[in-house]
Amino acid sequence: MGIVNVTPDSFSDGGRYLDAEAAIAHGRELLEAGADVLDVGGESTRPGAAAVGAEEEAARILPVIEALAPVGPRISVDTSKAEVAAAALAAGAEIVNDVTALGDPDMAAVCADAGCGLILMHMKGTPRTMQEDPTYGDVVTEVAGFLAERRGRAVAAGVASERIWLDPGIGFGKTVEHNLELLARLGEIAALGSPVVVGTSRKNFIGVVTGREVGDRIGGSIATNVLALAGGASVLRVHDVAATVDAVRVAEPILRRSEPPAAEVGP
Ligand code: HH2
């Protein structure tokens, strides 16, 4: 999944693709580089980011979705507002990427009506407050429990369970240790039985571990993505599509030859 941020303030590429033409050209590049899905967003969720109104958010993303959908990729819309999701689905998006996992009470109904895909992501708190000392008992158990509960809510509202993908929300209300723990035990999220989406690309914890600035975290991002794949991830949300596609192409045949995880070995 390639990231198309139509925002002035995203943490790694804010302002580069705010202009619709630039965002469309970037989306085309990501497709050529091998992305299967383009995730188009008009509101940054970086820690401390300012909220954007629905009208402004829709105005940023709709021309981009309208231009890219006919080119052929599956488009996901990165929004937590039901109103924006509905407009994006009408414009050609097929998946809603909701980082608040149904924080908007109308979101499940919009997705049920459209019959679209739905990504439910875990976040502790809101982007404004989430990095203020996040604490958990056991982070993986808590995140898995939250995702299972929100999936239940979506299904109860009429979203087909096979259309739901789950995401542990790397960097959303998590310390470096929490992020590493979630990646190490991703299998426990995959065991919930839905496809797992992982978004580590260029994030702060990679900068903390490597000492690298945001534009120079590709090596760290690739490491986390390959390990996420080995841990059962189905979708990798990334900025650097070409390098990630190469990494996945090499990692996949190796993973296919390796022993299945112990849990899958029968008696
Ligand atoms: N991360 C970001 C945004 N949306 N969606 C999912 N499902 N998973 C993620 O990990 C995720 C996400 C943050 O990254 P980015 O879009 O690059 O930055 P910003 O939120 O500042 O626009």
Side-chain angles (χ1 to χ4, degrees), residues 159-184:
V159 180
S161 64
E162 64 273 15
R163 309 222 99 202
I164 298 173
W165 301 350
L166 303 178
D167 184 331
I170 298 296
F172 286 85
K174 280 119 189 155
T175 62
V176 172
E177 285 302 318
H178 294 141
N179 292 319
L180 299 176
E181 186 75 10
L182 280 162
L183 288 167

Side-chain angles (χ1 to χ4, degrees), residues 24-266:
I24 294 161
H26 183 57
R28 286 180 179 275
E29 276 166 23
L30 298 184
L31 287 176
E32 269 166 38
D36 296 317
V37 180
L38 293 181
D39 189 40
V40 182
E43 179 180 26
S44 172
T45 50
R46 76 182 156 74
V52 176
E55 224 170 284
E56 169 71 20
E57 190 182 337
R60 289 179 185 171
I61 60 173
L62 292 182
V64 178
I65 293 173
E66 279 161 9
L68 289 173
V71 181
R74 300 181 73 193
I75 306 269
S76 66
V77 55
D78 189 348
T79 187
S80 52
K81 299 185 189 74
E83 185 185 340
V84 175
L89 291 165
E94 294 176 52
I95 302 162
V96 172
N97 175 19
D98 182 3
V99 299
T100 66
L102 310 182
D104 182 330
D106 297 329
M107 186 63 101
V110 164
C111 294
D113 285 351
C116 65
L118 173 61
I119 299 171
L120 298 171
M121 195 199 80
H122 175 272
M123 171 169 18
K124 198 174 185 85
T126 64
R128 197 169 277 281
T129 61
M130 64 190 179
Q131 289 309 107
E132 293 168 8
D133 192 26
T135 47
Y136 297 84
D138 178 70
V139 65
V140 182
T141 308
E142 209 172 301
V143 167
F146 171 90
L147 293 174
E149 191 272 325
R150 292 301 165 105
R151 180 177 60 185
R153 260 196 230 186
V155 170
V159 180
S161 64
E162 64 273 15
R163 309 222 99 202
I164 298 173
W165 301 350
L166 303 178
D167 184 331
I170 298 296
F172 286 85
K174 280 119 189 155
T175 62
V176 172
E177 285 302 318
H178 294 141
N179 292 319
L180 299 176
E181 186 75 10
L182 280 162
L183 288 167
R185 292 166 56 198
L186 197 66
E188 292 173 48
I189 307 292
L192 294 171
S194 296
V196 172
V197 181
V198 171
T200 59
S201 190
R202 302 181 185 172
K203 283 184 178 171
N204 181 63
F205 78 104
I206 295 173
V208 172
V209 173
T210 60
R212 303 267 183 207
E213 290 305 317
V214 72
D216 202 13
R217 295 181 186 161
I218 189 167
S221 300
I222 296 281
T224 57
N225 280 308
V226 169
L227 290 166
L229 192 67
S234 301
V235 180
L236 306 172
R237 181 182 182 278
V238 302
H239 300 89
D240 301 294
V241 171
T244 308
V245 167
D246 275 0
V248 169
R249 282 200 182 126
V250 174
E252 268 191 329
I254 297 169
L255 290 171
R256 272 200 295 273
R257 281 171 173 77
S258 64
E259 291 293 316
E264 286 176 32
V265 179

